[in-house]
Amino acid sequence: MLKAGIVGLPNVGKSTLFNALVANAQAHAANFPFCTIEPNVGTVSIPDKRLELLSEMSRSKQIIPARVEFVDIAGLVKGASKGEGLGNKFLANIREVDAIVHVVRCFDDNNVIHVSGRVDPVDDITTTNLELGLSDLNQIEKRRERLKKQIRNSKEAQIEDRILEQIMTELEAGGTASSVNFTEEELILIKPLGLLTLKPIIYVINLSEDDLSTGNDYVMKVETLAHQEGAQTVHISAQVEAELIELGPLERIDYLKSLGVEEGGLQNLIKATYYLLGLRTYFTTGEKETRAWTFRAGMTAPQAAGIIHTDFERGFIRAQTISYQKLLEAGSLIEARSKGWIRSEGKQYLVEDGDVLEFLFNT
């Protein structure tokens, strides 16, 4: 399962958000830096109305959603790349995740300490990104030193060194590794380094409940910076989400209405993170169960079949497929077959998000 790491400075709302995400997680949220030391890990169901509609159509006895893993990582401080605070541990934990969910404090509260003594979300982002970049530079310098012995006799080492030099130039200019255009082969070469600034990122704008519906000046600044980076943002109030967990369905609706919003930002964050990781969903449906299966965008039908069982990929013959919209329009798999709407696809078929699939294979 791919993992998204929740990162940011201390006391920006990371653990509160994590607790809200996994509902029953035991991450301890408190009003002091480094409350989270060891990373907390929790899996979260992907909210998907398509799953519920297909289940209703098939009268399934069970619904099994897709899931994604979130990791709550210790707060970073200036100098983390040199070991300040919990820097080394923090950076090592980020290196192990596949995407970064960067929580940015966009609220004023004198009762919640800010590690810098003032609320400035753009400065917070700059501090975090600088430390990630410095850590990457350190990694690259060490790797290039080791490559020196191989460059004379290895073309692959020469190519890797050239790529790393490009990244160094970008980082030294204040950019990120993701700013460099790589081929698939080049990405494979540098993947073992686990470069932090190469990971996809989403900024979570953490607001007070009073500003959730209207936003504030902080939001505009973060949105501008994110746009410049080509990053996505999600608006959320971690505190509101934590309170929603304790309420029943009707109470939640009333509470959100009182804040001037129709829904919290939690579901948007989960879905946005899922897509940020390059994940998509196909479905299987029947009377026994309707299930969402997670696959990577760009997977072929045999690869997608292998997610269910390796035998399905090994003995793949073909896939029977229909989009979930078309299936719902037909009203049942039987009716869809009678209309000729179910397609037969071979080994080269690229599975699409929302496909309903049945695999035929040799044992």
Side-chain angles (χ1 to χ4, degrees):
M1 186 179 295
L2 296 183
K3 296 186 285 189
I6 302 175
V7 307
L9 299 188
N11 280 9
V12 296
K14 299 186 306 299
S15 294
T16 301
L17 177 62
F18 176 80
N19 285 340
L21 278 166
V22 298
N24 60 349
Q26 298 302 308
H28 175 54
N31 183 25
F32 56 90
F34 312 127
C35 171
T36 303
I37 298 176
E38 294 300 329
N40 297 285
V41 181
T43 57
V44 178
S45 298
I46 307 301
D48 198 328
K49 292 181 180 178
R50 299 173 299 179
L51 191 63
E52 298 169 16
L53 293 170
L54 287 170
S55 176
E56 288 175 12
M57 182 203 71
S58 299
R59 298 179 181 177
S60 304
K61 295 176 182 176
Q62 188 178 16
I63 296 176
I64 303 176
R67 301 179 73 82
V68 68
E69 193 166 89
F70 283 89
V71 184
D72 178 25
I73 297 172
L76 170 148
V77 293
K78 192 172 183 179
S81 58
K82 298 178 180 178
E84 293 294 329
L86 296 167
N88 293 329
K89 183 181 287 290
F90 170 91
L91 295 166
N93 290 333
I94 299 179
R95 218 171 288 286
E96 294 174 3
V97 302
D98 304 284
I100 294 173
V101 176
H102 188 163
V103 181
V104 186
R105 177 174 170 174
C106 289
F107 64 87
D108 292 306
D109 187 340
N110 293 330
N111 295 316
V112 179
I113 300 165
H114 190 286
V115 71
S116 301
R118 61 188 174 87
V119 177
D120 185 341
V122 171
D123 186 63
D124 292 354
I125 291 172
T126 302
T127 295
T128 301
N129 290 348
L130 175 63
E131 295 303 328
L132 300 185
L134 289 172
S135 178
D136 280 354
L137 277 172
N138 187 43
Q139 284 280 102
I140 291 170
E141 286 169 358
K142 289 179 180 177
R143 177 59 183 164
R144 292 191 74 191
E145 190 63 32
R146 290 195 294 271
L147 284 172
K148 282 182 179 179
K149 297 178 182 179
Q150 306 171 35
I151 287 175
R152 290 183 182 178
N153 304 313
S154 170
K155 188 174 181 181
E156 187 175 277
Q158 292 170 12
I159 294 170
E160 183 182 350
D161 188 66
R162 175 179 54 78
I163 299 164
L164 295 178
E165 185 177 14
Q166 281 182 275
I167 299 171
M168 281 189 73
T169 300
E170 188 68 33
L171 291 171
E172 287 169 348
T176 63
S178 59
S179 303
V180 181
N181 291 321
F182 301 104
T183 64
E184 283 296 321
E185 293 77 13
E186 289 172 340
L187 279 172
I188 291 169
L189 273 178
I190 63 173
K191 186 176 180 181
L193 283 177
L195 296 177
L196 304 177
T197 64
L198 191 58
K199 297 180 186 295
I201 188 167
I202 186 169
Y203 289 109
V204 177
I205 295 174
N206 188 16
L207 295 154
S208 68
E209 65 175 34
D210 293 334
D211 292 333
L212 187 57
S213 63
T214 59
N216 55 35
D217 291 341
Y218 296 139
V219 174
M220 295 177 63
K221 293 175 181 178
V222 175
E223 292 279 10
T224 300
L225 185 148
H227 179 73
Q228 291 170 350
E229 293 183 3
Q232 188 178 349
T233 61
V234 173
H235 294 202
I236 202 166
S237 171
Q239 192 57 49
V240 167
E241 297 298 340
E243 292 171 5
L244 287 174
I245 293 170
E246 308 298 327
L247 303 178
L250 294 178
E251 291 176 307
R252 289 184 187 185
I253 294 171
D254 290 341
Y255 180 37
L256 288 170
K257 280 184 178 179
S258 72
L259 298 177
V261 294
E262 292 185 4
E263 62 179 7
L266 210 56
Q267 291 195 353
N268 288 336
L269 173 59
I270 296 168
K271 288 185 282 189
T273 302
Y274 190 70
Y275 271 73
L276 185 71
L277 288 164
L279 304 179
R280 304 294 183 265
T281 303
Y282 74 81
F283 304 97
T284 54
T285 186
E287 190 174 327
K288 180 183 177 183
E289 68 176 32
T290 292
R291 181 165 185 160
W293 298 89
T294 297
F295 71 98
R296 279 186 176 274
M299 272 190 169
T300 61
Q303 290 172 324
I307 292 167
I308 297 177
H309 198 287
T310 52
D311 287 348
F312 285 26
E313 181 175 5
R314 192 178 301 115
F316 180 89
I317 300 173
R318 63 181 180 274
Q320 303 290 340
T321 182
I322 183 172
S323 70
Y324 89 97
Q325 300 102 319
K326 207 70 178 171
L327 179 55
L328 292 174
E329 184 182 335
S332 70
L333 285 166
I334 293 174
E335 191 62 28
R337 284 194 179 92
S338 71
K339 291 178 180 291
W341 288 358
I342 295 182
R343 310 186 313 276
S344 183
E345 300 286 358
K347 293 182 178 180
Q348 302 306 312
Y349 177 66
L350 297 180
V351 178
E352 296 184 5
D353 185 59
D355 276 354
V356 180
L357 291 164
E358 181 182 356
F359 298 107
L360 303 179
F361 63 99
N362 286 319
T363 55

